[in-house]
Amino acid sequence: MANELLLLIGRLALASSAAIAVVLALRPLLRNRLGAVHAYAAWLAVPATMAAVLLPPLAIAPPQLAAVLIDLGGASAQPVKDAAPSSGALAQWLLLAWAAGTGLMAGHFFSSHWHYVRSLGRLAPAGDAWVAEHDGAGPLLLGLWRQRVVLPRDFATRFSADEQVLILAHERLHAARGDPAANALLAVLQCCFWFNPLVHIAAPRFRLDQELACDSTVMAAHPGSARVYASAMMKSQLDDATLSASCHWQSHHPLKERIMNLQHFPHAPSRRLAGRVAIGLLVVAGASAALVARADTAAAHTAKGGRYDVGMTLTALGTTSHPRLLVREGEIFKVSKGSDAEQWDGEFLLTAHSVGKVMMKSKVTLNGQPMGEQSMLMDAGTQASMNVSSDDGKLQFALVMTAKPVPDATSPK
């Protein structure tokens, strides 16, 4: 279990790193050619690529099923107790270190968020917004589920009427686009992949692209307001707080870059359409690359897997059988027993675990209904045993299994 989880974390880290690297390389070109909105949308390639890692492989060389008739009793399986407890010690320690780092990073985000919210003081309602007790708080959109536009106490006196309209439009656009949820997802990625420097390099650039995209959309809805918009930015106080589920009107983002972005005029409809197509292709390409990579890995694993002589001694319902099969690593083999009234089926998958050890995964069904799944960690060539029974104790099943590696040029004797 620990090994499988670490493998999944590693795959997700590699997929996210590849996607982030591509987006970081393309974002200046996308912003100049297609605009800030599409440069921000390009970040969708990162979660799309990671999601593809969680899907089944696109294509795998079909496993061969080796079927034999045996006496197979059925029951919900119980874990094997004779597996070496120290075999996964390193994986468990690595998993513990990952969990500790994730917890520390999550604690940092939570603490920063809690202290900042406390610093706002009491929030007084002002129409559909809220006013903080202090002058330096906000403007910002705060919250993930219960979103609130928080304004500084001197909002009405510091900003002109036109500036107030643009600031409120900016924050409401963040809410309409779901940007706080995107920021929260970014925080989750930073927590889970705290060991990956690319994630932390990408985080401030993602937030900057988010603000530039929001600025561009507001400017498109309020043409001719660039000077007023820039004036409002200049009047805002610098706020270094970084909150996972918030959107700051003016925080640590480069002010000069945001003001320069205001000079870009809205693109023609044809350019916007080209931008949507380009971003769609980028997202699909990232997800497809992850699926193809997984398919190639799975196919190579199946093709290169060694062969094993698997011997079983099965005792069920007072009878014993001794099936023996030649199977390849990564190849499903199936055993069954019974009739239409009572049909037992078992599927097994053998994989190499470490030097001298193999992992045997099993799935047992009765009349198509799952009765139990489990994994047995076995020393190659050494017997491993399992005893299971049904919930009512009437159906008993005992298995003794060995798996011996054999050269590809020979068959078991």
Side-chain angles (χ1 to χ4, degrees), residues 349-383:
L349 176 64
L350 183 149
T351 56
H353 181 269
S354 56
V355 177
K357 295 184 179 294
V358 295
M359 179 71 73
M360 184 73 75
K361 295 184 178 181
S362 63
K363 178 180 179 181
V364 179
T365 60
L366 172 60
N367 297 329
Q369 299 298 318
M371 297 295 290
E373 297 184 29
Q374 74 168 70
S375 298
M376 292 195 303
L377 183 61
M378 308 161 50
D379 290 324
T382 302
Q383 290 184 344

Side-chain angles (χ1 to χ4, degrees), residues 45-372:
V46 177
T49 303
M50 297 178 68
V53 174
L54 302 177
L55 296 175
L58 184 65
I60 303 179
Q64 300 177 359
L65 296 180
V68 294
L69 190 64
I70 63 171
D71 293 317
L72 178 63
S76 56
Q78 301 294 328
V80 174
K81 301 297 184 180
D82 57 353
S86 62
S87 61
L90 177 59
Q92 292 175 358
W93 279 109
L94 290 175
L95 192 59
L96 181 62
W98 170 81
T102 300
L104 289 174
M105 185 65 71
H108 166 71
F109 279 119
F110 179 81
S111 176
S112 298
H113 186 90
W114 185 80
H115 283 292
Y116 185 84
V117 172
R118 293 268 296 180
S119 72
L120 297 176
R122 297 179 65 88
L123 300 179
D128 60 348
W130 297 78
V131 178
E133 280 191 88
H134 311 294
D135 294 343
L140 76 154
L141 178 67
L142 183 66
L144 184 58
W145 294 281
R146 184 187 175 189
Q147 297 176 354
R148 293 179 290 183
V149 177
V150 179
L151 306 173
R153 185 178 57 181
D154 61 347
F155 180 72
T157 57
R158 193 198 316 176
F159 300 99
S160 68
D162 291 339
E163 291 170 349
Q164 293 177 32
V165 170
L166 295 175
I167 291 173
L168 290 175
H170 178 101
E171 297 302 337
R172 288 164 182 160
L173 180 60
H174 276 309
R177 295 193 313 185
D179 287 340
N183 294 337
L185 176 59
L186 173 63
V188 170
L189 294 181
Q190 288 182 272
C191 291
C192 293
F193 303 102
W194 53 267
F195 54 88
N196 187 353
L198 267 180
V199 174
H200 303 293
I201 292 173
R205 290 159 177 80
F206 170 84
R207 297 291 291 258
L208 172 59
D209 287 346
Q210 183 183 89
E211 293 300 327
L212 294 177
C214 196
D215 293 341
S216 296
T217 304
V218 173
M219 284 294 92
H222 298 81
S225 301
R227 185 179 296 274
V228 178
Y229 204 89
S231 175
M233 288 184 186
M234 296 296 295
K235 291 180 181 179
S236 298
Q237 296 183 11
L238 185 65
D239 188 350
D240 290 329
T242 301
L243 306 181
S244 59
S246 69
C247 299
H248 287 253
W249 159 255
Q250 161 57 12
S251 58
H252 57 283
H253 306 301
L255 182 59
K256 180 180 179 180
E257 193 168 0
R258 289 186 63 188
I259 293 178
M260 292 293 292
N261 183 65
L262 300 179
Q263 302 176 13
H264 295 169
F265 296 100
H267 293 293
S270 59
R271 183 72 66 88
R272 293 197 296 270
L273 177 60
R276 295 189 185 99
V277 172
I279 298 305
L281 291 175
L282 178 63
V283 172
V284 172
S288 300
L291 287 174
V292 170
R294 288 203 60 206
D296 290 344
T297 301
H301 179 76
T302 301
K304 297 180 180 179
R307 298 194 302 172
Y308 288 83
D309 176 8
V310 177
M312 298 180 179
T313 299
L314 293 159
T315 302
L317 302 175
T319 61
T320 301
S321 62
H322 303 277
R324 189 176 181 185
L325 305 98
L326 175 65
V327 300
R328 187 174 293 277
E329 178 188 354
E331 177 180 282
I332 297 174
F333 59 99
K334 180 180 179 181
V335 293
S336 60
K337 162 75 168 115
S339 60
D340 294 339
E342 185 175 271
Q343 177 70 43
W344 291 96
D345 295 288
E347 286 187 0
F348 298 86
L349 176 64
L350 183 149
T351 56
H353 181 269
S354 56
V355 177
K357 295 184 179 294
V358 295
M359 179 71 73
M360 184 73 75
K361 295 184 178 181
S362 63
K363 178 180 179 181
V364 179
T365 60
L366 172 60
N367 297 329
Q369 299 298 318
M371 297 295 290

